[in-house]
């Protein structure tokens, strides 16, 4: 699941070397925290959140295959707020 | 700036050397493996990997194997999602505007289509996004699961004709459930030449849907 998000993010940002995905255990599965270069944040969210939504859809399929749950959080570097 | 060919112990190493020589990043070049290497015993009999690295700006359209690239991206996505399936590359339409289609085949693929084709749409969207970023130009690759789209489009055409008949006989307009743009397009095209009804898209964003209305002789809604 981590590899899936890493692959997608690295394929669409300008600075793939700054893509970091951290897997954090949660109550009923895992939370994947995706961090990219500040100027790449928009590239992984997309217009009206479309890219983030597509990543979450595939992540859900991946989690179902593994019999678990996963949520994706995109970390905004500048504000530390989750989007 | 020109293309370079480099030999090294691994593909990764060869690409790194080439990128350093060109002063470019991985996303700005196309890499073709000319010779696969072979790891020998203690370096004996081993063969180096040879790659050709070409700056994207040097590639003409014919040089880029968009279909092969799209197939590779889709295979990676499926593999990382934990789906075992095979991808067949095909072309649809005439030579001038051939559309690249990727059909996924395998077992238990209902999960890949998802509710109202949502998962399939996401896959298609991501494949196109990744290829477009890579080539720095827009592409329109169609991703299908065992002909799901083909069947869906056929049932939409049937629905369109049935609803048009209903509008004609009752004189009351009909609004269909919301659909993505690609599906609305199918219905617009199907009823485009109808002498009795016209179609309109109404609503915003994901709630956008088609209304079928009676028309007068000039093609205006009644």
């Amino acid at each position: 699941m981590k590899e899936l998000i890493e692959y997608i993010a690295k394929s669409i940002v300008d600075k793939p070397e700054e893509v970091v995905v951290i897997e954090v255990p949660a109550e009923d599965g895992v939370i994947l925290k995706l961090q990219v270069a500040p100027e790449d944040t928009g590239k992984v969210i997309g217009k009206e959140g479309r890219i983030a939504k597509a990543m979450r859809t595939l992540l859900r399929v991946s989690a179902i295959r593994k019999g678990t749950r996963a949520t994706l959080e995109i970390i905004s570097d500048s504000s530390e707020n989750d989007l | 700036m020109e293309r370079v060919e480099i030999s090294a112990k691994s593909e990764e190493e060869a690409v790194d050397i080439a990128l350093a020589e060109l002063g470019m990043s991985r996303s700005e070049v196309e890499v073709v493996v000319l010779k696969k290497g072979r790891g020998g015993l203690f370096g004996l009999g081993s063969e180096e990997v040879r790659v050709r690295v070409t700056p994207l700006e040097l590639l003409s359209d014919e040089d880029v194997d968009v279909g092969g690239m799209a197939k590779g991206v889709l295979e990676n996505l499926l593999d990382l999602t934990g789906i075992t399936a095979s991808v067949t590359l095909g072309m649809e339409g005439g030579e001038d505007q051939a559309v690249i289609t990727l059909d996924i085949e395998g077992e238990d693929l209902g999960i890949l289509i998802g509710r109202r084709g949502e998962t399939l749409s996401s896959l298609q969207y991501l494949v196109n996004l990744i290829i477009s970023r890579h080539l720095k130009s827009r592409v329109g690759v169609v991703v299908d699961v065992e002909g799901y789209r083909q069947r869906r489009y056929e049932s939409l055409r049937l629905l369109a004709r049935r609803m048009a008949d209903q509008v004609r006989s009752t004189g009351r307009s009909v609004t269909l459930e919301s659909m993505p743009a690609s599906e609305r397009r199918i219905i617009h095209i199907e009823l485009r030449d109808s002498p009795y009804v016209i179609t309109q898209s109404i609503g915003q964003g994901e709630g956008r849907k088609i209304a079928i209305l009676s028309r007068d002789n000039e093609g205006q809604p009644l």
Side-chain angles (χ1 to χ4, degrees):
Chain A
M1 294 185 288
K2 183 170 174 274
E3 291 75 20
L4 174 70
I5 298 302
E6 246 169 24
Y7 172 73
I8 298 171
K10 285 187 175 181
S11 304
I12 58 179
V13 298
D14 286 335
K15 294 187 171 168
E17 64 279 7
E18 290 192 32
V19 170
V20 180
V21 182
I22 308 163
E23 213 172 284
V24 185
E27 227 173 88
D28 53 353
V30 291
I31 299 169
L32 295 180
K33 298 190 178 231
L34 168 63
Q35 190 178 327
V36 298
E39 60 269 35
D40 276 334
T41 311
K43 294 216 167 67
V44 292
I45 295 171
K47 204 172 137 204
E48 290 172 8
R50 200 163 165 208
I51 298 171
K53 191 179 163 217
M55 285 199 283
R56 289 191 170 107
T57 305
L58 284 201
L59 181 62
R60 189 170 62 231
V61 173
S62 178
I64 292 170
R65 299 297 278 192
K66 289 190 159 64
T68 179
R69 277 164 186 269
T71 41
L72 174 66
E73 283 178 12
I74 296 167
I75 313 291
S76 171
D77 207 23
S78 49
S79 63
E80 288 286 314
N81 287 332
D82 294 351
L83 288 166
Chain B
M1 205 165 315
E2 54 192 31
R3 59 176 56 173
V4 294
E5 289 186 13
I6 301 286
S7 296
K9 286 199 190 70
S10 69
E11 182 184 336
E12 204 174 16
E13 198 184 326
V15 172
D16 282 346
I17 295 170
L19 291 177
E21 222 165 87
L22 291 166
M24 303 185 93
S25 71
R26 182 66 186 83
S27 59
E28 293 171 307
V29 299
E30 185 208 49
V31 175
V32 177
V33 178
L34 299 173
K35 201 174 74 183
K36 290 202 171 178
R38 205 168 53 194
L41 192 65
F42 307 117
L44 288 172
S46 67
E47 279 178 18
E48 295 202 309
V49 185
R50 189 162 182 82
V51 299
R52 185 172 65 211
V53 176
T54 314
L56 285 181
E57 60 207 54
L58 288 187
L59 293 174
S60 69
D61 285 352
E62 294 98 79
D63 278 344
V64 188
D65 176 13
V66 181
M69 199 186 278
K71 183 169 183 275
V73 170
L74 180 58
E75 281 168 349
N76 283 341
L77 286 173
L78 290 172
D79 185 40
L80 291 168
T81 308
I83 306 270
T84 314
S86 65
V87 177
T88 313
L89 172 65
M91 297 281 178
E92 266 175 32
E95 263 183 33
D96 286 349
Q97 29 181 294
V99 176
I100 296 166
T101 59
L102 298 169
D103 196 34
I104 308 168
E105 281 180 74
E107 283 171 25
D108 188 25
L109 293 182
I111 191 174
L112 257 194
I113 296 171
R115 194 170 51 94
R116 290 171 59 197
E118 191 193 25
T119 311
L120 183 55
S121 296
S122 294
L123 264 180
Q124 175 171 302
Y125 179 66
L126 287 172
V127 168
N128 281 292
L129 184 71
I130 290 171
I131 303 283
S132 302
R133 287 274 155 86
H134 200 73
L135 297 178
K136 307 226 177 333
S137 70
R138 283 177 64 125
V139 293
V141 176
V142 174
V143 177
D144 204 348
V145 173
E146 294 182 339
Y148 164 81
R149 271 182 209 281
Q150 295 293 346
R151 290 196 301 277
R152 170 82 179 148
Y153 289 171
E154 194 42 52
S155 72
L156 285 174
R157 288 187 194 102
L158 277 171
L159 174 76
R161 289 199 294 271
R162 210 170 59 231
M163 288 298 128
D165 286 345
Q166 186 185 315
V167 170
R168 189 190 169 193
S169 58
T170 64
R172 281 209 303 271
S173 59
V174 167
T175 306
L176 305 178
E177 63 176 302
S178 55
M179 290 169 196
S182 57
E183 296 188 356
R184 292 198 309 272
R185 185 171 165 269
I186 297 294
I187 293 183
H188 284 308
I189 291 173
E190 184 66 24
L191 299 179
R192 169 168 73 182
D193 298 326
S194 166
Y196 310 110
V197 298
I198 56 159
T199 55
Q200 288 177 348
S201 283
I202 53 174
Q204 294 299 319
E206 293 194 358
R208 207 155 157 79
K209 51 184 106 173
I210 281 192
I212 303 175
L213 305 88
S214 298
R215 54 166 279 186
D216 62 19
N217 289 335
E218 270 82 51
Q220 297 301 312
L222 287 175

